[in-house]
Amino acid sequence: MTASTFDTARPQAQPTHTPAQPGRTPAQPDRVPAQAGRPPAHPGRTPAHRHTPPAWDHTPPPCGPGPWTSTVPRELVHRAAVAEVLLTDWQRHSETHYTITAQWPRGHSFYTPIAGTHHDPLIAAETIRQAGALLAHAEFDVPLGHHFLLEELTLTTNPRHLHTGPTPAALTLHINCTRITRRNGHLHRLTYETHLTRDQHTAGTGRITFTTITPAVYHRIRPAHVFTPTHQPLPLTTPLTPQTVGRHHPHDVVLSPTPHPHHYTLRTNTHHPHLFDHPQDHIPGMLLLEAARQAATATHNHNNPHPTTHHLPTHHTTHFTHYAELDHPTHIHTHPTTNPHTLHITAHQNNHTIFHTTLTTQPTQPTT
């Protein structure tokens, strides 16, 4: 049994995006930009006074006749909010090789820039996660409504190419599917490696393995009570101080303190608009990755209650071994290694290991 990052109760609307083919030109949307012109004046009417923009008005981004940039359908990446979709297009080169484009905003509501200078590396993890869901549905014909169980996620990022700039970051994901397992002709398990580039420089690399299962199988392997209206998460406990975990607001803190150093309990806020973009019957994998990151940051800052250094994650290796249930306590533990910047993090629930992570961070000075 594995924990799930991809699993959703997502809308069943059919996608309208056509998978890209080699050499194709993306279709232009059926719309005309506002600057293309104004409606013709009515005969005999005096033209309205034309507003002259003040000197501080910004020049709009350049645009031409197309093709226009848009996100892929949200259903294909298991997101309810269009604003949470990071992928913009994809192209198939073979059954095992694909190119996907993505965009990172300068400021994300949850993946806020670290130290004011770098994109949060976990937005790279979310981008790569979305890529797997997209390919499964659009290229491997996995029906919408099937469940995706995350087994392994490895991510290495290059801080030199994670810097924030004056515009959103444009990314290209070069995908190589290294293991494709089918059952009865349908995709069962997929392992894919991603080479993430920005301005032709390597911004990161990643590998994900996930399994797909039908809704009927999912209902058989999950406890019956998680599908009932009375299924509720545990009450929220007091959060750690946001600054100790690299956050600005208590709403984004996913850990609570315990009397034991380097031991924490998970706070599962099912009303969080990013971590729970849509209802879930278990704790999603991306929340567990955030818990590992916050636990590592809190451990590094343990002896400094007013940290002046931020910790930029540079490497994750995570294995998910059991579902993390909403209605049972989850305990997070950090374990030191011989490298002062590397920690092992484990999570336990009901005496079972939910996941284990090796996380390496790099100190980063904040902007002044």
Side-chain angles (χ1 to χ4, degrees), residues 3 34 60 63 68 94 108 110 149-150 198 225 234 255 279 287 310 314 325 355 368:
C63 59
W68 308 107
S94 71
H108 190 274
F110 183 70
L149 313 182
L150 184 64
R198 179 185 183 189
H225 78 277
L234 294 176
L255 299 178
L287 170 53
H310 292 247
T314 57
E325 303 296 350
F355 75 90
T368 56

Side-chain angles (χ1 to χ4, degrees), residues 17 68-74 82-89 103:
H17 187 88
W68 308 107
T69 299
S70 61
T71 60
V72 303
R74 59 185 174 85
V82 174
E84 298 294 341
V85 179
L86 301 172
L87 308 184
T88 57
D89 207 349
Q103 186 185 80

Side-chain angles (χ1 to χ4, degrees), residues 109-170:
S109 61
F110 183 70
Y111 295 126
T112 55
I114 294 180
T117 59
H118 290 78
H119 289 284
D120 184 345
L122 283 189
I123 200 173
E126 170 62 11
T127 303
I128 296 172
R129 182 205 68 79
Q130 290 189 13
L134 170 68
L135 294 181
H137 292 305
E139 297 292 343
F140 291 95
D141 299 323
V142 175
L144 295 175
H146 281 219
H147 297 266
F148 289 53
L149 313 182
L150 184 64
E151 298 179 5
E152 174 200 9
L153 185 149
T154 299
L155 174 68
T156 300
T157 53
N158 184 349
R160 292 180 57 191
H161 301 297
L162 292 183
H163 60 277
T164 54
T167 59

Side-chain angles (χ1 to χ4, degrees), residues 76-111:
L76 297 185
V77 297
H78 303 175
R79 280 305 192 180
V82 174
E84 298 294 341
V85 179
L86 301 172
L87 308 184
T88 57
D89 207 349
W90 77 98
Q91 186 174 33
R92 175 191 176 106
H93 304 289
S94 71
E95 186 187 43
T96 58
H97 292 84
Y98 302 86
T99 300
I100 299 175
T101 53
Q103 186 185 80
W104 294 344
R106 295 169 64 192
H108 190 274
S109 61
F110 183 70
Y111 295 126

Side-chain angles (χ1 to χ4, degrees), residues 10 17 44 46 51 130 137 150 195 207 217 244 247 249-250 305 316 320 335 343 346:
R10 49 194 173 274
H17 187 88
T46 302
H51 171 69
Q130 290 189 13
H137 292 305
L150 184 64
H195 182 205
R207 183 179 68 249
V217 171
T244 64
R247 284 294 175 180
H249 196 282
H316 291 259
F320 299 90
H335 313 273
L343 290 171
T346 57

Side-chain angles (χ1 to χ4, degrees), residues 36-52:
R38 300 189 302 276
H42 293 280
R45 177 178 295 180
T46 302
H49 175 69
R50 184 174 182 177
H51 171 69
T52 301

